[in-house]
Amino acid sequence: MELKELISQKLQANFPEAEFEFSEYRNEFNVKFNKKFVNPICKFLKEDSELEFLLCEDMTAVDWAKRKNRFTVVYHIFSIKHSFRLVLKADVDESDCTIDTVSSVWKTSNWQERECYDMYGIKFNNHPDLRRIYMPEEFEYHPLRKDFPLLGIPGSLPLPKK
Amino acid sequence: MGLEAKLNSDGFLVTQLDAVVAWARKNSVYPMPMGISCCAIEMMASADPKYDIARFGSEVMRFTPRQCDLMIVAGTVTYKMSHVVKKIYDQMPDPKWVIAMGACTSTGGMYRSYSVVQGIDQFLPVDVYVAGCPPRPDNLLNALIQIQNKIGRTRARDFQNLKLPELNVIQNN
Ligand code: SF4
């Protein structure tokens, strides 16, 4: 059986309520699901002995500005066993701008989630240390959101006195 | 009459101590290499044998601010880094000078963005700006020569209050 079918069958069998959408774009297999299931799904993909997605290569978010579900959180995970890359996506709306952390599954995603929080303001539930990673801690905005002006907000970042 | 001939015949010279001090000071400028990003590579190149900053007596790059009197800010200064730059500048003993090297340092350069200070003159008194992205080493040496000329014109009374903004150096003589 092809690996993509195996993944979709296994996921659907184990998480019947997760509202999966499978698609393929430029040879990358995309799996979209309800954000409530992010932690168990990631844990399953990592620990299943036939899949073994051991590596969380990257995680980030997309700001769609005016769409109903404003953000999409994107995970790129990699299975060394199959040399196969999988893209996971989950929509997050601005009214409930939270998603569960996967830092308990992949340790690397700890800092990636901090970056995502810093840049987009998405809160990661149960994250062990959710602080800003790039901007100063007292900064109030999230710079990669589409409504943030390119040159920043005057006075929001303090300069030393002359 | 050359210097040696004068000393051989008379054994002494008449000048101002002020002028001697300024002359010595301008030929032994110790730079603080504040290399923050790519411009720092060109700053390093200016110390190599081809461009040879030692010709101007400035080869002694000191990595402690307490032994320097010229800060070469070479690179993109972000808001977060600006506090570090200012702290290091404050640790340098007076009198001190600043070269803003490169487009980023002078104006923000191509980083027209929320995180980059659009010109370090917003928090530092800059003496010479160097254009370029990155400036060639000869351009940096030109800036150094200009600083030397500026230092050569200083007199002891200029430093009475040891506050650089009040330094009353005649700019165009
Ligand atoms: S001016 Fe150009 S070379 Fe210099 S730090 Fe900026 S980007 Fe780099």
Side-chain angles (χ1 to χ4, degrees):
Chain A
M1 196 192 322
E2 222 206 328
L3 188 62
K4 291 168 190 168
E5 287 171 32
L6 181 73
I7 293 170
S8 50
Q9 280 184 11
K10 280 203 169 213
L11 285 177
Q12 269 166 334
N14 282 282
F15 305 95
E17 288 140 41
E19 301 159 25
F20 285 110
E21 283 170 41
F22 300 96
S23 59
E24 207 172 327
Y25 183 69
R26 299 211 170 170
N27 286 334
E28 289 209 327
F29 191 47
N30 290 257
V31 182
K32 199 167 182 182
F33 49 80
N34 190 322
K35 69 171 183 177
K36 273 186 274 180
F37 295 88
V38 63
N39 200 304
I41 286 176
C42 289
K43 204 172 163 71
F44 172 78
L45 287 171
K46 184 186 175 190
E47 290 174 358
D48 189 272
S49 58
E50 280 180 281
L51 302 176
E52 287 192 4
F53 282 91
L54 292 181
L55 195 62
C56 181
E57 287 182 323
D58 193 13
M59 77 135 308
T60 181
V62 184
D63 182 0
W64 298 99
K66 290 183 181 150
R67 205 181 68 168
K68 184 169 152 279
N69 287 317
R70 183 170 167 181
F71 301 101
T72 302
V73 181
V74 186
Y75 304 83
H76 289 240
I77 61 177
F78 189 75
S79 165
I80 300 167
K81 186 173 180 176
H82 300 289
S83 182
F84 182 78
R85 184 167 291 114
L86 182 66
V87 182
L88 307 178
K89 294 181 176 176
D91 280 345
V92 176
D93 192 41
E94 205 180 0
S95 57
D96 178 25
C97 212
T98 58
I99 188 168
D100 286 342
T101 178
V102 292
S103 58
S104 51
V105 183
W106 297 289
K107 283 238 167 76
T108 34
S109 59
N110 184 326
W111 280 17
Q112 288 163 352
E113 285 176 351
R114 279 178 64 186
E115 179 186 351
C116 196
Y117 164 69
D118 192 356
M119 293 291 145
Y120 293 95
I122 297 170
K123 292 219 167 60
F124 289 86
N125 302 329
N126 305 326
H127 191 283
D129 182 27
L130 195 63
R131 284 179 296 134
R132 286 180 179 275
I133 193 164
Y134 290 133
M135 304 305 289
E137 282 187 30
E138 62 277 6
F139 190 61
E140 291 168 22
Y141 307 92
H142 300 288
L144 282 194
R145 285 192 172 191
K146 289 274 188 259
D147 50 10
F148 186 82
L150 179 62
L151 263 181
I153 291 170
S156 59
L157 285 163
L159 271 177
K161 282 207 193 67
K162 202 164 181 174
Chain B
M1 195 194 290
L3 189 60
E4 283 79 15
K6 173 88 175 154
L7 285 174
N8 274 333
S9 62
D10 299 348
F12 65 91
L13 277 175
V14 182
T15 179
Q16 280 178 305
L17 188 56
D18 247 4
V20 176
V21 169
W23 172 79
R25 192 176 261 155
K26 87 172 202 193
N27 287 299
S28 61
V29 179
Y30 282 21
M32 162 85 224
M34 191 74 222
I36 307 172
S37 52
C38 15
C39 269
I41 305 296
E42 295 298 299
M43 180 176 63
M44 288 176 231
S46 69
D48 71 13
K50 186 168 175 183
Y51 297 101
D52 200 11
I53 204 171
R55 290 178 292 157
F56 306 95
S58 293
E59 74 276 22
V60 205
M61 300 255 181
R62 286 294 171 204
F63 292 92
T64 160
R66 301 188 195 276
Q67 297 171 359
C68 303
D69 42 15
L70 169 67
M71 183 186 239
I72 305 177
V73 186
T76 323
V77 184
T78 58
Y79 278 92
K80 247 182 154 177
M81 193 65 191
S82 66
H83 297 270
V84 181
V85 175
K86 176 73 174 165
K87 196 177 222 171
I88 291 175
Y89 175 78
D90 285 344
Q91 288 177 15
M92 287 164 53
D94 278 318
K96 51 194 171 186
W97 291 268
V98 177
I99 291 180
M101 181 181 180
C104 285
T105 321
S106 310
T107 65
M110 62 176 175
Y111 298 103
R112 198 142 171 77
S113 133
Y114 62 93
S115 56
V116 176
V117 183
Q118 306 292 307
I120 60 162
D121 44 9
Q122 290 179 34
F123 63 94
L124 278 187
V126 180
D127 293 280
V128 179
Y129 300 86
V130 187
C133 177
R136 287 181 54 83
D138 15 13
N139 208 349
L140 179 65
L141 295 182
N142 177 42
L144 181 65
I145 293 168
Q146 295 204 23
I147 290 267
Q148 285 188 332
N149 292 342
K150 193 169 180 179
I151 297 174
R153 291 195 295 268
T154 55
R155 293 293 176 261
R157 64 169 185 279
D158 297 332
F159 305 117
Q160 263 166 3
N161 297 323
L162 293 181
K163 278 260 162 59
L164 206 65
E166 291 150 29
L167 221 166
N168 186 21
V169 183
I170 311 132
Q171 290 277 358
N172 312 303
N173 64 348

